[in-house]
């Protein structure tokens, strides 16, 4: 059975999770959150109606960067931090492919921070998944760009003094046209966010809070733990007032100074709550939402922060002497040379 997609060069086959699994043994530490993310991806892709042979996973270095080995797709295991640059070149030269970037907080926010910013700013048509465990896992537990101030690790024995990077704020600061957050304890939500990101035209960014049970176990326990999740997870639903809590007794509102604050609904009334608008052109309120949870023990928004349409960065090609646009292949195979003396 096939599904005909008028925009595709080849028919889209009906697939299942097994079609997206590679023949490689999955080797992460037992209990790692990456297993859950991998399963969510392999379950989501069949529902996206895409073919494995038209899909590419690009990674850098780190635990998350093993992702391409476990997917039955094309894959590139690049060097540290460079996955967004590699993926940008691929997406620009082969717009017929679905290009994904997979990396950790150390990979994409340290040496890869510059590439991440400009890929989002340029709105290259690809999808970026950032697994954030607040630690360098592959290299045995050094502090990472997202580690909280005071974090004690082998590289910060007296506690980290640096101010941490907040991935969602970084993405929105670059005016990412799609920015979402999910976590490794909710497979259905991960599938939804991955599917939404894939459907977006342009650069899509998904932050995945992921537990490293060896070097930073329970980092998000206060937020995503089974006993605390209902009270701590703020679900963002487009067009709906932002409410959360076991009985939706709490919410998010704008105060008199224009700041977003957490409130008790009984005190302020439901009409005072902020209605979430992910399509708002100005990213200011989305940025303010990203600043609600700057600590690992505060209520945290999950869902799509921003989803807007904007021009996609595409290859411009080259003009010949008559002013005619040539294709990329002609430009790359051209004979133009220069002699520098």
């Amino acid at each position: 059975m096939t599904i005909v997609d008028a925009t595709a060069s080849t028919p889209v086959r009906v697939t299942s999770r097994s079609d997206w699994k590679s023949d490689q043994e999955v080797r992460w530490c037992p209990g790692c959150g990456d297993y859950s993310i991998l399963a969510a991806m392999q379950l989501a892709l069949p529902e996206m109606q895409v073919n494995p042979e038209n899909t590419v996973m690009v990674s850098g270095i780190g635990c998350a960067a093993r992702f391409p080995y476990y997917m039955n797709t094309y894959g590139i295991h690049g060097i540290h931090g460079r996955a967004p640059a590699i993926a940008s070149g691929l997406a620009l030269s082969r717009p017929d492919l679905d290009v994904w970037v997979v990396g950790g907080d150390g990979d994409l926010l340290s040496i890869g921070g510059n590439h991440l910013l400009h890929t989002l700013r340029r709105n290259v048509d690809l999808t970026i998944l950032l697994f954030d465990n607040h630690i360098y896992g592959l290299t045995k537990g050094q502090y990472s760009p997202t580690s909280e101030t005071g974090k004690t690790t082998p590289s910060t024995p007296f506690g980290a003094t640096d101010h941490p990077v907040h991935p969602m704020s970084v993405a929105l600061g670059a005016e990412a046209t799609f920015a979402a957050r999910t976590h490794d304890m909710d497979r259905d939500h991960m599938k939804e966010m991955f599917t939404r990101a894939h459907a977006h035209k342009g650069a899509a960014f998904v932050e995945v809070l992921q537990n490293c049970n060896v070097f930073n176990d329970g980092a998000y326990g206060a937020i995503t733990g089974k006993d605390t999740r209902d009270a701590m997870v703020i679900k963002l639903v487009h067009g709906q007032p932002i409410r959360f809590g076991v009985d939706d007794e709490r919410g998010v509102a704008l105060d008199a100074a224009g700041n977003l604050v957490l409130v008790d609904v009984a005190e302020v009334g439901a009409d005072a709550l902020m209605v979430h608008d992910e399509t708002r052109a100005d990213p200011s309120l989305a940025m303010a939402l990203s600043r609600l949870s700057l600590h690992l023990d505060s209520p945290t928004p999950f869902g799509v922060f921003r989803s807007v349409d904007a021009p996609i960065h595409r290859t411009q090609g080259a003009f010949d002497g008559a002013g005619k646009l040539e294709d990329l292949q002609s430009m790359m195979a051209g004979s133009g040379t220069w002699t520098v003396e």
Side-chain angles (χ1 to χ4, degrees):
M1 177 180 178
T2 60
I3 301 170
V4 177
D5 180 358
T7 65
S9 57
T10 57
V12 177
R13 303 188 309 280
V14 173
T15 59
S16 66
R17 181 183 178 184
S18 61
D19 295 303
W20 294 90
K21 290 182 176 180
S22 77
D23 59 357
Q24 299 298 299
E25 178 187 0
V26 181
R27 299 186 67 180
W28 284 307
C29 300
C32 176
D34 287 353
Y35 285 96
S36 179
I37 302 171
L38 177 65
M41 175 63 77
Q42 292 170 339
L43 288 167
L45 282 164
E47 299 175 9
M48 297 179 199
Q49 298 185 0
V50 291
N51 290 331
E53 61 269 25
N54 293 330
T55 305
V56 187
M57 299 285 168
V58 183
S59 69
I61 298 297
C63 297
R66 301 180 67 85
F67 217 81
Y69 292 101
Y70 307 140
M71 297 294 300
N72 185 32
T73 65
Y74 285 101
I76 300 173
H77 192 169
I79 59 177
H80 201 221
R82 306 307 194 237
I86 297 169
S88 292
L90 180 59
L92 291 173
S93 61
R94 289 291 304 274
D96 56 311
L97 299 178
D98 288 321
V99 180
W100 298 75
V101 173
V102 180
D105 47 301
D107 185 25
L108 291 177
L109 291 171
S110 184
I111 193 171
N114 186 52
H115 298 300
L116 175 67
L117 282 173
H118 292 295
T119 300
L120 295 174
R121 177 183 68 83
R122 291 170 176 145
N123 203 30
V124 180
D125 193 16
L126 49 74
T127 306
I128 299 172
L129 305 183
L130 187 152
F131 301 1
D132 184 8
N133 55 25
H134 275 50
I135 206 76
Y136 275 106
L138 185 68
T139 53
K140 307 300 186 288
Q142 298 88 346
Y143 87 121
S144 80
T146 59
S147 295
E148 62 274 21
T149 302
K151 182 75 172 178
T152 301
T153 74
S155 56
T156 54
F158 301 105
T161 59
D162 296 347
H163 183 74
V165 171
H166 299 283
M168 185 57 62
S169 297
V170 169
L172 292 169
E175 299 198 33
T177 54
F178 183 96
R181 177 188 287 144
T182 185
H183 63 89
D184 62 4
M185 298 296 289
D186 192 336
R187 180 178 293 179
D188 288 340
H189 193 261
M190 283 191 288
K191 288 173 58 181
E192 179 186 356
M193 293 301 101
F194 297 164
T195 301
R196 286 283 313 271
H198 172 264
H200 179 74
K201 300 303 180 184
F205 174 86
V206 182
E207 176 189 10
V208 188
L209 304 191
Q210 175 256 327
N211 189 51
C212 175
N213 61 310
V214 174
F215 296 107
N216 203 23
D217 193 25
Y220 301 110
I223 302 168
T224 63
K226 184 178 180 180
D227 296 332
T228 59
R229 201 177 308 167
D230 290 341
M232 297 294 282
V233 169
I234 304 174
K235 296 181 180 179
L236 302 177
V237 181
H238 178 65
Q240 297 295 318
I242 304 177
R243 301 184 68 159
F244 68 101
V246 177
D247 297 311
D248 277 347
E249 73 277 9
R250 305 195 69 195
V252 176
L254 278 169
D255 66 11
N259 301 310
L260 289 187
V261 293
L262 302 179
V263 297
D264 292 324
V265 179
E267 293 182 4
V268 303
D271 291 341
L273 299 181
M274 175 183 168
V275 175
H276 183 49
D277 182 5
E278 66 186 36
T279 63
R280 181 183 172 94
D282 186 340
S284 299
L285 285 179
M287 174 66 81
L289 279 172
S290 78
R291 309 301 290 174
L292 271 178
S293 53
L294 300 183
H295 306 286
L296 296 175
D297 57 357
S298 58
T300 302
F302 289 87
V304 178
F305 286 67
R306 189 172 194 238
S307 179
V308 298
D309 294 327
I312 298 172
H313 184 76
R314 299 188 185 278
T315 300
Q316 298 301 310
F319 287 94
D320 64 14
K324 182 179 178 181
L325 185 66
E326 297 181 318
D327 61 67
L328 181 63
Q329 189 61 36
S330 298
M331 180 182 73
M332 297 299 292
S335 58
T337 60
W338 290 264
T339 301
V340 178
E341 299 178 351

